[in-house]
Amino acid sequence: MAITASTHDLQATRDWTPGHCLPQALYQSDGIFRSDVQMLLDDQWLLVDHESRIPNPGDYFLFEIGEESIIVVRSRSGVVNAFHNVCRHRGSRICLAPEGSKRILTCPYHAWSYDLDGRLRAAHLMPEDFDRTKISLEPVNIGVFEGLIFLNAAAAPPSFEEFVAPFHKLVRGQGVATAKVGARKLYPTQANWKLVVENFFECYHCNTAHPTYCSVHDRMKMLAFGAGAGSGDDVAVQEYEEKLKIWEARSASLGYPTGMFADGPENPFFRSGNRLPISDGARTESVDGNPVAPLMTAYGEFDGGQTGCVFNPVSAILVNNDHAVIFRFTPRAPQSTDVEAIWIVRGDARESADFRPEELMRVWDTTLREDKTITENNQKGVNSSAYRPGRYSTQERRISEFADWYMGRREQCLEQSAA
Ligand code: FES
Ligand SMILES: [Fe+2]
Protein backbone atom coordinates (compact mmCIF):
# COMPACT_ATOMS: atom_id res chain seq x y z
CA MET A 1 0.00 0.00 0.00
CA ALA A 2 1.37 3.41 -0.93
CA ILE A 3 0.77 6.31 1.43
CA THR A 4 1.86 9.89 1.21
CA ALA A 5 2.81 11.89 4.25
CA SER A 6 3.28 15.60 4.87
CA THR A 7 6.51 16.81 6.47
CA HIS A 8 4.53 17.64 9.60
CA ASP A 9 3.11 14.10 9.80
CA LEU A 10 6.52 12.56 9.17
CA GLN A 11 8.02 14.65 11.96
CA ALA A 12 5.22 13.49 14.31
CA THR A 13 6.10 9.88 13.54
CA ARG A 14 9.78 10.54 14.30
CA ASP A 15 9.00 12.42 17.53
CA TRP A 16 7.60 9.32 19.23
CA THR A 17 9.41 7.68 22.15
CA PRO A 18 8.61 3.95 22.73
CA GLY A 19 6.85 3.30 26.05
CA HIS A 20 5.00 6.60 25.67
CA CYS A 21 1.68 7.68 24.17
CA LEU A 22 1.69 8.84 20.58
CA PRO A 23 2.43 12.42 19.48
CA GLN A 24 -0.59 14.72 19.08
CA ALA A 25 -0.63 14.78 15.26
CA LEU A 26 -1.24 11.03 15.16
CA TYR A 27 -4.62 11.63 16.82
CA GLN A 28 -5.50 14.66 14.68
CA SER A 29 -4.05 14.71 11.18
CA ASP A 30 -6.31 14.13 8.16
CA GLY A 31 -3.50 12.58 6.14
CA ILE A 32 -2.56 10.14 8.91
CA PHE A 33 -6.22 9.24 9.35
CA ARG A 34 -6.59 8.42 5.66
CA SER A 35 -3.47 6.27 5.64
CA ASP A 36 -4.67 4.52 8.84
CA VAL A 37 -7.95 3.56 7.15
CA GLN A 38 -6.11 2.30 4.08
CA MET A 39 -3.71 0.33 6.26
CA LEU A 40 -6.59 -1.32 8.15
CA LEU A 41 -8.52 -2.16 4.98
CA ASP A 42 -5.51 -3.53 3.09
CA ASP A 43 -3.50 -5.28 5.83
CA GLN A 44 -6.21 -6.59 8.17
CA TRP A 45 -9.26 -8.82 8.09
CA LEU A 46 -11.89 -6.57 9.68
CA LEU A 47 -14.74 -8.17 11.60
CA VAL A 48 -17.93 -6.50 10.36
CA ASP A 49 -20.85 -8.58 11.64
CA HIS A 50 -22.38 -11.98 12.27
CA GLU A 51 -23.82 -13.87 9.29
CA SER A 52 -27.23 -14.05 10.98
CA ARG A 53 -27.68 -10.34 10.21
CA ILE A 54 -28.27 -11.26 6.55
CA PRO A 55 -30.03 -14.67 6.61
CA ASN A 56 -31.75 -14.53 3.18
CA PRO A 57 -30.59 -13.93 -0.42
CA GLY A 58 -30.64 -10.20 -1.11
CA ASP A 59 -30.25 -9.19 2.54
CA TYR A 60 -27.48 -6.60 2.83
CA PHE A 61 -25.88 -4.08 5.15
CA LEU A 62 -23.31 -1.35 4.65
CA PHE A 63 -19.92 -1.29 6.34
CA GLU A 64 -18.68 2.30 6.42
CA ILE A 65 -15.10 3.15 7.33
CA GLY A 66 -13.48 6.53 6.68
CA GLU A 67 -14.73 7.60 3.22
CA GLU A 68 -15.36 4.02 2.15
CA SER A 69 -18.75 2.34 1.97
CA ILE A 70 -18.91 -1.42 1.37
CA ILE A 71 -22.04 -3.45 0.56
CA VAL A 72 -22.12 -6.83 2.30
CA VAL A 73 -24.85 -8.90 0.65
CA ARG A 74 -26.03 -12.51 0.57
CA SER A 75 -26.16 -13.84 -2.97
CA ARG A 76 -28.82 -16.01 -4.56
CA SER A 77 -26.66 -19.10 -3.94
CA GLY A 78 -26.35 -18.19 -0.25
CA VAL A 79 -22.73 -17.03 -0.08
CA VAL A 80 -21.82 -13.66 1.42
CA ASN A 81 -20.34 -11.17 -1.07
CA ALA A 82 -18.93 -7.69 -0.58
CA PHE A 83 -18.54 -4.83 -3.06
CA HIS A 84 -17.49 -1.22 -2.93
CA ASN A 85 -20.70 0.83 -2.86
CA VAL A 86 -19.61 2.75 -5.96
CA CYS A 87 -21.45 2.62 -9.28
CA ARG A 88 -19.34 1.66 -12.30
CA HIS A 89 -21.11 4.36 -14.38
CA ARG A 90 -20.29 7.70 -12.79
CA GLY A 91 -19.51 6.61 -9.27
CA SER A 92 -22.69 7.23 -7.31
CA ARG A 93 -23.40 5.37 -4.10
CA ILE A 94 -25.74 2.49 -5.00
CA CYS A 95 -27.24 1.45 -1.65
CA LEU A 96 -28.22 4.41 0.49
CA ALA A 97 -30.03 2.75 3.44
CA PRO A 98 -27.68 1.20 6.03
CA GLU A 99 -29.40 -2.19 5.65
CA GLY A 100 -32.24 -3.86 3.78
CA SER A 101 -33.12 -6.53 1.28
CA LYS A 102 -32.92 -6.27 -2.54
CA ARG A 103 -33.46 -8.57 -5.51
CA ILE A 104 -31.00 -6.55 -7.56
CA LEU A 105 -28.76 -3.61 -6.71
CA THR A 106 -30.01 -0.61 -8.67
CA CYS A 107 -28.12 2.66 -8.73
CA PRO A 108 -30.44 5.54 -7.80
CA TYR A 109 -28.74 7.90 -10.28
CA HIS A 110 -29.29 6.46 -13.82
CA ALA A 111 -30.66 3.06 -12.84
CA TRP A 112 -27.78 0.80 -13.83
CA SER A 113 -28.56 -2.44 -12.06
CA TYR A 114 -26.30 -5.17 -10.73
CA ASP A 115 -26.85 -8.77 -9.74
CA LEU A 116 -26.24 -9.87 -6.15
CA ASP A 117 -22.91 -11.27 -7.37
CA GLY A 118 -21.91 -7.82 -8.64
CA ARG A 119 -22.37 -8.34 -12.41
CA LEU A 120 -23.94 -5.51 -14.36
CA ARG A 121 -27.36 -6.64 -15.56
CA ALA A 122 -28.85 -3.57 -17.19
CA ALA A 123 -27.64 -0.19 -18.44
CA HIS A 124 -29.94 1.52 -20.92
CA LEU A 125 -29.06 3.67 -23.95
CA MET A 126 -25.40 2.71 -23.98
CA PRO A 127 -23.32 2.81 -27.21
CA GLU A 128 -23.29 -0.34 -29.30
CA ASP A 129 -19.69 -1.20 -28.46
CA PHE A 130 -20.41 -1.09 -24.72
CA ASP A 131 -19.93 -4.62 -23.35
CA ARG A 132 -21.84 -4.87 -20.10
CA THR A 133 -20.60 -8.44 -19.49
CA LYS A 134 -17.20 -6.89 -18.75
CA ILE A 135 -18.53 -4.62 -15.97
CA SER A 136 -18.92 -5.66 -12.33
CA LEU A 137 -18.96 -3.92 -9.00
CA GLU A 138 -15.48 -3.71 -7.46
CA PRO A 139 -15.28 -6.74 -5.14
CA VAL A 140 -13.97 -6.72 -1.57
CA ASN A 141 -12.47 -9.93 -0.11
CA ILE A 142 -14.64 -11.86 2.36
CA GLY A 143 -13.76 -14.49 4.94
CA VAL A 144 -16.22 -16.23 7.25
CA PHE A 145 -15.09 -17.87 10.48
CA GLU A 146 -17.61 -19.29 12.98
CA GLY A 147 -20.36 -17.20 11.36
CA LEU A 148 -18.28 -14.02 11.76
CA ILE A 149 -17.87 -12.01 8.54
CA PHE A 150 -14.45 -10.45 7.89
CA LEU A 151 -13.47 -8.01 5.09
CA ASN A 152 -10.21 -7.09 3.43
CA ALA A 153 -9.92 -4.67 0.50
CA ALA A 154 -6.41 -5.46 -0.82
CA ALA A 155 -5.72 -6.72 -4.34
CA ALA A 156 -3.60 -9.48 -2.78
CA PRO A 157 -5.10 -10.11 0.69
CA PRO A 158 -3.21 -11.81 3.51
CA SER A 159 -4.18 -15.49 3.91
CA PHE A 160 -7.51 -15.75 5.76
CA GLU A 161 -6.73 -19.32 6.90
CA GLU A 162 -3.45 -18.24 8.47
CA PHE A 163 -5.16 -15.27 10.06
CA VAL A 164 -7.88 -17.32 11.82
CA ALA A 165 -5.70 -20.38 12.59
CA PRO A 166 -4.91 -19.50 16.24
CA PHE A 167 -8.61 -18.92 17.05
CA HIS A 168 -9.99 -22.31 15.97
CA LYS A 169 -9.08 -24.10 19.19
CA LEU A 170 -10.17 -21.28 21.51
CA VAL A 171 -13.74 -20.85 20.20
CA ARG A 172 -14.58 -24.43 19.22
CA GLY A 173 -17.86 -25.82 20.50
CA GLN A 174 -19.11 -22.52 21.88
CA GLY A 175 -21.99 -22.01 19.47
CA VAL A 176 -20.76 -18.83 17.77
CA ALA A 177 -21.31 -20.14 14.22
CA THR A 178 -24.98 -21.00 14.78
CA ALA A 179 -25.82 -18.03 17.03
CA LYS A 180 -28.00 -15.09 16.05
CA VAL A 181 -27.95 -11.39 16.76
CA GLY A 182 -29.95 -10.64 19.92
CA ALA A 183 -29.19 -6.92 20.24
CA ARG A 184 -26.89 -4.25 18.85
CA LYS A 185 -26.00 -0.70 19.77
CA LEU A 186 -23.84 2.04 18.32
CA TYR A 187 -21.76 4.33 20.54
CA PRO A 188 -20.53 7.11 18.22
CA THR A 189 -17.40 8.39 19.93
CA GLN A 190 -15.82 11.76 19.21
CA ALA A 191 -12.24 10.56 19.39
CA ASN A 192 -9.55 9.18 17.10
CA TRP A 193 -9.82 5.40 16.63
CA LYS A 194 -6.42 4.86 18.28
CA LEU A 195 -7.62 6.45 21.53
CA VAL A 196 -10.64 4.14 21.45
CA VAL A 197 -8.45 1.09 20.85
CA GLU A 198 -5.90 2.11 23.47
CA ASN A 199 -8.69 2.38 26.02
CA PHE A 200 -9.86 -1.14 25.11
CA PHE A 201 -6.30 -2.48 25.49
CA GLU A 202 -5.95 -1.62 29.17
CA CYS A 203 -7.82 -2.11 32.42
CA TYR A 204 -5.75 0.49 34.30
CA HIS A 205 -8.85 2.69 34.12
CA CYS A 206 -11.33 -0.01 35.20
CA ASN A 207 -11.25 0.83 38.91
CA THR A 208 -11.97 4.50 38.42
CA ALA A 209 -14.32 4.29 35.44
CA HIS A 210 -16.23 0.99 35.57
CA PRO A 211 -17.91 0.14 38.92
CA THR A 212 -20.31 -2.35 37.28
CA TYR A 213 -17.60 -4.15 35.28
CA CYS A 214 -15.42 -4.35 38.41
CA SER A 215 -18.26 -5.84 40.45
CA VAL A 216 -18.61 -8.62 37.87
CA HIS A 217 -14.95 -9.62 37.36
CA ASP A 218 -12.33 -11.15 39.68
CA ARG A 219 -10.06 -8.37 40.93
CA MET A 220 -6.79 -10.27 40.58
CA LYS A 221 -7.72 -11.44 37.10
CA MET A 222 -8.35 -7.82 36.04
CA LEU A 223 -4.86 -6.85 37.24
CA ALA A 224 -3.31 -9.82 35.41
CA PHE A 225 -5.41 -9.99 32.22
CA GLY A 226 -7.90 -7.12 32.43
CA ALA A 227 -7.52 -6.32 28.75
CA GLY A 228 -6.63 -9.81 27.57
CA ALA A 229 -3.44 -11.83 27.21
CA GLY A 230 -0.32 -9.75 27.69
CA SER A 231 -2.16 -6.70 29.07
CA GLY A 232 -1.38 -6.84 32.81
CA ASP A 233 1.40 -6.68 35.35
CA ASP A 234 3.79 -9.69 35.61
CA VAL A 235 3.47 -9.92 39.41
CA ALA A 236 -0.33 -10.09 39.12
CA VAL A 237 -0.01 -12.76 36.40
CA GLN A 238 2.10 -14.90 38.74
CA GLU A 239 -0.26 -14.40 41.68
CA TYR A 240 -3.30 -15.34 39.59
CA GLU A 241 -1.69 -18.37 37.99
CA GLU A 242 -2.59 -20.96 40.63
CA LYS A 243 -6.27 -20.02 40.63
CA LEU A 244 -6.32 -20.10 36.85
CA LYS A 245 -4.75 -23.58 36.73
CA ILE A 246 -7.43 -25.01 39.05
CA TRP A 247 -10.22 -23.48 36.95
CA GLU A 248 -8.63 -24.63 33.68
CA ALA A 249 -8.42 -28.23 34.92
CA ARG A 250 -12.15 -28.26 35.67
CA SER A 251 -13.04 -26.60 32.34
CA ALA A 252 -10.90 -29.06 30.42
CA SER A 253 -12.62 -31.97 32.20
CA LEU A 254 -15.94 -30.63 30.87
CA GLY A 255 -14.46 -30.52 27.36
CA TYR A 256 -13.93 -26.74 27.09
CA PRO A 257 -10.79 -25.42 25.42
CA THR A 258 -8.23 -23.50 27.51
CA GLY A 259 -5.14 -21.45 26.81
CA MET A 260 -3.96 -18.07 25.64
CA PHE A 261 -1.68 -16.40 23.10
CA ALA A 262 -0.72 -12.88 22.07
CA ASP A 263 1.05 -11.77 18.88
CA GLY A 264 3.99 -9.47 19.40
CA PRO A 265 4.21 -6.04 17.75
CA GLU A 266 6.24 -7.50 14.88
CA ASN A 267 3.26 -9.61 13.75
CA PRO A 268 1.23 -7.84 11.05
CA PHE A 269 -2.08 -8.94 12.62
CA PHE A 270 -1.53 -8.13 16.34
CA ARG A 271 -4.02 -10.80 17.50
CA SER A 272 -4.56 -12.21 20.96
CA GLY A 273 -6.84 -14.80 22.52
CA ASN A 274 -7.53 -16.39 25.89
CA ARG A 275 -10.04 -18.27 28.03
CA LEU A 276 -10.43 -17.04 31.57
CA PRO A 277 -13.01 -17.47 34.34
CA ILE A 278 -15.23 -14.45 34.97
CA SER A 279 -15.15 -14.67 38.77
CA ASP A 280 -15.83 -17.20 41.56
CA GLY A 281 -19.31 -18.64 41.15
CA ALA A 282 -20.28 -16.54 38.10
CA ARG A 283 -21.69 -18.55 35.21
CA THR A 284 -21.66 -15.67 32.75
CA GLU A 285 -20.74 -11.99 32.41
CA SER A 286 -23.95 -10.59 33.87
CA VAL A 287 -24.61 -8.30 36.83
CA ASP A 288 -25.34 -11.21 39.22
CA GLY A 289 -23.36 -13.91 37.39
CA ASN A 290 -26.53 -15.78 36.39
CA PRO A 291 -27.25 -16.68 32.75
CA VAL A 292 -29.02 -14.04 30.62
CA ALA A 293 -29.73 -16.42 27.71
CA PRO A 294 -29.83 -20.20 27.06
CA LEU A 295 -26.54 -22.14 27.19
CA MET A 296 -24.84 -21.73 23.80
CA THR A 297 -21.98 -24.22 24.12
CA ALA A 298 -21.83 -27.89 23.11
CA TYR A 299 -20.46 -28.94 26.51
CA GLY A 300 -23.81 -29.26 28.31
CA GLU A 301 -22.71 -27.34 31.38
CA PHE A 302 -21.58 -23.81 32.32
CA ASP A 303 -17.89 -23.47 33.15
CA GLY A 304 -18.16 -19.72 33.82
CA GLY A 305 -15.43 -19.01 31.28
CA GLN A 306 -15.05 -16.22 28.80
CA THR A 307 -13.15 -16.58 25.52
CA GLY A 308 -11.61 -13.33 24.40
CA CYS A 309 -10.47 -12.99 20.78
CA VAL A 310 -8.83 -9.81 19.55
CA PHE A 311 -8.60 -10.31 15.78
CA ASN A 312 -6.86 -7.00 15.21
CA PRO A 313 -6.91 -3.68 17.05
CA VAL A 314 -10.40 -2.78 15.76
CA SER A 315 -12.18 -6.18 15.91
CA ALA A 316 -12.86 -8.39 18.94
CA ILE A 317 -15.33 -10.84 20.47
CA LEU A 318 -15.95 -11.98 24.04
CA VAL A 319 -17.67 -15.36 24.16
CA ASN A 320 -19.47 -16.37 27.36
CA ASN A 321 -21.28 -19.67 27.88
CA ASP A 322 -24.72 -18.16 27.09
CA HIS A 323 -23.99 -15.15 24.86
CA ALA A 324 -21.17 -13.33 23.12
CA VAL A 325 -20.39 -9.68 22.43
CA ILE A 326 -18.77 -8.56 19.17
CA PHE A 327 -16.86 -5.25 19.32
CA ARG A 328 -16.18 -3.06 16.29
CA PHE A 329 -14.15 0.14 16.50
CA THR A 330 -14.59 1.70 13.09
CA PRO A 331 -12.71 4.91 12.19
CA ARG A 332 -15.07 7.42 10.51
CA ALA A 333 -13.13 10.70 10.71
CA PRO A 334 -9.90 11.83 12.45
CA GLN A 335 -11.86 12.45 15.65
CA SER A 336 -14.90 10.23 15.17
CA THR A 337 -15.12 6.46 15.72
CA ASP A 338 -18.14 4.18 15.47
CA VAL A 339 -17.96 1.90 18.47
CA GLU A 340 -20.50 -0.84 17.94
CA ALA A 341 -21.43 -3.78 20.14
CA ILE A 342 -23.37 -6.75 18.78
CA TRP A 343 -24.75 -9.25 21.29
CA ILE A 344 -25.33 -12.77 19.94
CA VAL A 345 -27.34 -15.58 21.54
CA ARG A 346 -28.17 -19.19 20.69
CA GLY A 347 -29.83 -19.46 17.27
CA ASP A 348 -33.13 -20.75 18.64
CA ALA A 349 -33.39 -18.36 21.63
CA ARG A 350 -36.63 -16.35 21.63
CA GLU A 351 -36.66 -12.72 22.69
CA SER A 352 -38.72 -12.13 25.91
CA ALA A 353 -39.18 -15.89 26.55
CA ASP A 354 -35.47 -16.87 26.60
CA PHE A 355 -33.61 -13.56 26.83
CA ARG A 356 -34.36 -9.92 27.44
CA PRO A 357 -32.16 -7.52 25.43
CA GLU A 358 -31.76 -5.00 28.27
CA GLU A 359 -30.54 -7.76 30.62
CA LEU A 360 -28.28 -9.23 27.92
CA MET A 361 -26.75 -5.83 27.24
CA ARG A 362 -26.46 -4.44 30.76
CA VAL A 363 -22.78 -5.02 31.66
CA TRP A 364 -21.27 -3.90 28.34
CA ASP A 365 -23.82 -1.20 27.62
CA THR A 366 -22.94 0.40 30.96
CA THR A 367 -19.21 -0.10 30.35
CA LEU A 368 -19.23 1.22 26.78
CA ARG A 369 -21.19 4.33 27.77
CA GLU A 370 -18.54 4.98 30.44
CA ASP A 371 -15.79 4.31 27.89
CA LYS A 372 -17.32 6.81 25.45
CA THR A 373 -17.16 9.55 28.09
CA ILE A 374 -13.58 8.88 29.17
CA THR A 375 -12.31 8.51 25.61
CA GLU A 376 -13.94 11.76 24.47
CA ASN A 377 -12.37 13.52 27.49
CA ASN A 378 -9.05 11.96 26.51
CA GLN A 379 -9.33 13.39 22.98
CA LYS A 380 -10.16 16.88 24.33
CA GLY A 381 -7.00 16.83 26.45
CA VAL A 382 -4.89 15.48 23.59
CA ASN A 383 -6.11 18.40 21.44
CA SER A 384 -4.72 20.91 23.93
CA SER A 385 -1.45 22.78 23.32
CA ALA A 386 -0.38 21.46 26.74
CA TYR A 387 -0.53 17.77 25.67
CA ARG A 388 2.77 15.88 26.00
CA PRO A 389 2.82 12.09 25.43
CA GLY A 390 3.04 10.45 28.88
CA ARG A 391 4.56 7.16 30.01
CA TYR A 392 2.59 3.89 30.14
CA SER A 393 2.11 1.96 33.41
CA THR A 394 2.76 -1.77 33.95
CA GLN A 395 -1.02 -2.20 33.48
CA GLU A 396 -0.79 -0.75 29.98
CA ARG A 397 1.65 -3.21 28.42
CA ARG A 398 -0.69 -4.12 25.61
CA ILE A 399 -1.12 -0.48 24.55
CA SER A 400 2.60 0.00 24.63
CA GLU A 401 2.87 -2.98 22.26
CA PHE A 402 0.01 -1.60 20.18
CA ALA A 403 1.96 1.66 19.81
CA ASP A 404 5.05 -0.36 18.74
CA TRP A 405 2.92 -2.33 16.28
CA TYR A 406 1.19 0.73 14.88
CA MET A 407 4.40 2.74 14.45
CA GLY A 408 6.06 -0.30 12.84
CA ARG A 409 3.21 -0.63 10.34
CA ARG A 410 3.37 3.10 9.55
CA GLU A 411 7.10 2.95 9.04
CA GLN A 412 6.73 0.01 6.67
CA CYS A 413 4.02 1.77 4.63
CA LEU A 414 6.11 4.94 4.40
CA GLU A 415 9.12 2.92 3.23
CA GLN A 416 7.05 1.12 0.61
CA SER A 417 5.71 4.40 -0.74
CA ALA A 418 9.22 5.93 -0.80
CA ALA A 419 10.64 2.93 -2.69
S1 FES B 1 -23.89 6.74 -11.52
FE1 FES B 1 -24.91 4.88 -11.26
S2 FES B 1 -26.19 4.73 -12.96
FE2 FES B 1 -25.15 6.56 -13.27
FE1 LIG C 1 -13.14 0.74 29.69
Side-chain angles (χ1 to χ4, degrees):
M1 180 205 42
I3 63 171
T4 49
S6 70
T7 322
H8 176 252
D9 292 351
L10 277 175
Q11 193 52 47
T13 307
R14 289 186 191 119
D15 279 348
W16 173 65
T17 313
H20 290 70
C21 310
L22 303 177
Q24 187 185 51
L26 292 163
Y27 300 114
Q28 291 183 324
S29 149
D30 263 328
I32 290 174
F33 175 77
R34 275 198 299 276
S35 65
D36 283 359
V37 169
Q38 210 53 54
M39 177 169 85
L40 291 171
L41 272 170
D42 286 357
D43 293 359
Q44 302 302 314
W45 283 100
L46 304 176
L47 171 54
V48 294
D49 222 299
H50 190 270
E51 270 203 291
S52 61
R53 184 172 182 188
I54 44 172
N56 303 309
D59 291 352
Y60 83 91
F61 66 88
L62 300 182
F63 174 65
E64 308 211 289
I65 175 167
E67 298 277 300
E68 307 301 330
S69 173
I70 293 165
I71 306 168
V72 183
V73 61
R74 195 174 289 276
S75 75
R76 250 173 260 288
S77 65
V79 299
V80 178
N81 287 328
F83 307 103
H84 285 281
N85 188 10
V86 178
C87 183
R88 295 297 307 274
H89 178 219
R90 279 168 51 201
S92 169
R93 286 273 183 260
I94 299 164
C95 295
L96 305 180
E99 62 184 0
S101 193
K102 293 191 185 277
R103 281 183 44 249
I104 46 169
L105 304 171
T106 303
C107 178
Y109 201 173
H110 315 94
W112 281 28
S113 61
Y114 303 86
D115 237 316
L116 300 177
D117 60 7
R119 277 179 301 188
L120 180 63
R121 254 173 55 152
H124 62 144
L125 299 176
M126 294 303 289
E128 225 154 71
D129 62 348
F130 176 76
D131 184 358
R132 70 181 153 79
T133 63
K134 293 213 163 67
I135 309 269
S136 282
L137 293 176
E138 197 63 43
V140 174
N141 309 299
I142 284 269
V144 178
F145 167 68
E146 288 273 334
L148 304 172
I149 305 171
F150 293 83
L151 295 185
N152 169 283
S159 157
F160 186 71
E161 284 65 37
E162 266 173 48
F163 160 67
V164 293
F167 298 108
H168 279 285
K169 177 179 170 261
L170 276 174
V171 297
R172 71 171 156 77
Q174 290 166 72
V176 176
T178 52
K180 69 167 185 190
V181 175
R184 61 193 315 130
K185 189 167 169 184
L186 187 66
Y187 304 83
T189 302
Q190 299 315 302
N192 184 268
W193 71 277
K194 295 188 288 295
L195 289 178
V196 172
V197 165
E198 285 165 17
N199 180 62
F200 195 70
F201 277 153
E202 54 94 350
C203 207
Y204 194 40
H205 71 277
C206 290
N207 246 328
T208 41
H210 300 313
T212 301
Y213 187 83
C214 289
S215 71
V216 167
H217 287 272
D218 184 290
R219 196 181 151 271
M220 188 52 72
K221 179 195 69 176
M222 285 197 296
L223 286 172
F225 301 112
S231 66
D233 181 81
D234 279 337
V235 177
V237 171
Q238 274 166 16
E239 279 181 37
Y240 184 63
E241 203 169 344
E242 199 176 326
K243 199 171 184 178
L244 179 60
K245 285 231 160 74
I246 295 167
W247 176 83
E248 281 182 333
R250 181 174 172 269
S251 286
S253 74
L254 294 173
Y256 280 94
T258 58
M260 68 174 71
F261 80 97
D263 286 338
E266 70 294 340
N267 190 300
F269 294 129
F270 202 61
R271 301 157 296 188
S272 67
N274 57 34
R275 275 205 95 233
L276 296 166
I278 290 158
S279 68
D280 295 338
R283 284 184 289 168
T284 191
E285 191 185 38
S286 65
V287 174
D288 60 5
N290 289 325
V292 288
L295 183 67
M296 242 173 40
T297 77
Y299 306 111
E301 222 179 291
F302 282 80
D303 79 336
Q306 184 177 67
T307 306
C309 302
V310 175
F311 297 105
N312 54 61
V314 297
S315 315
I317 188 170
L318 293 175
V319 188
N320 304 298
N321 292 171
D322 62 342
H323 73 282
V325 194
I326 294 168
F327 298 87
R328 284 181 15 176
F329 308 118
T330 314
R332 297 304 305 275
Q335 299 196 2
S336 167
T337 305
D338 278 351
V339 174
E340 187 162 19
I342 304 162
W343 286 262
I344 59 174
V345 292
R346 203 167 75 189
D348 62 357
R350 296 155 305 163
E351 190 173 327
S352 304
D354 298 321
F355 72 95
R356 293 195 299 127
E358 59 288 4
E359 212 173 80
L360 180 69
M361 295 165 75
R362 188 155 299 132
V363 171
W364 272 104
D365 179 48
T366 306
T367 307
L368 289 172
R369 281 188 284 121
E370 291 159 349
D371 278 332
K372 173 177 157 68
T373 305
I374 55 183
T375 311
E376 289 179 344
N377 288 339
N378 192 174
Q379 180 74 62
K380 284 177 190 158
V382 165
N383 287 345
S384 159
S385 60
Y387 171 69
R388 304 284 178 274
R391 181 98 187 261
Y392 293 125
S393 70
T394 58
Q395 280 282 294
E396 293 166 296
R397 284 172 41 200
R398 198 61 181 160
I399 322 183
S400 186
E401 287 176 359
F402 165 70
D404 294 344
W405 173 85
Y406 170 77
M407 294 307 257
R409 302 304 303 159
R410 266 195 72 71
E411 192 73 28
Q412 206 173 331
C413 295
L414 288 170
E415 272 168 23
Q416 279 168 5
S417 60

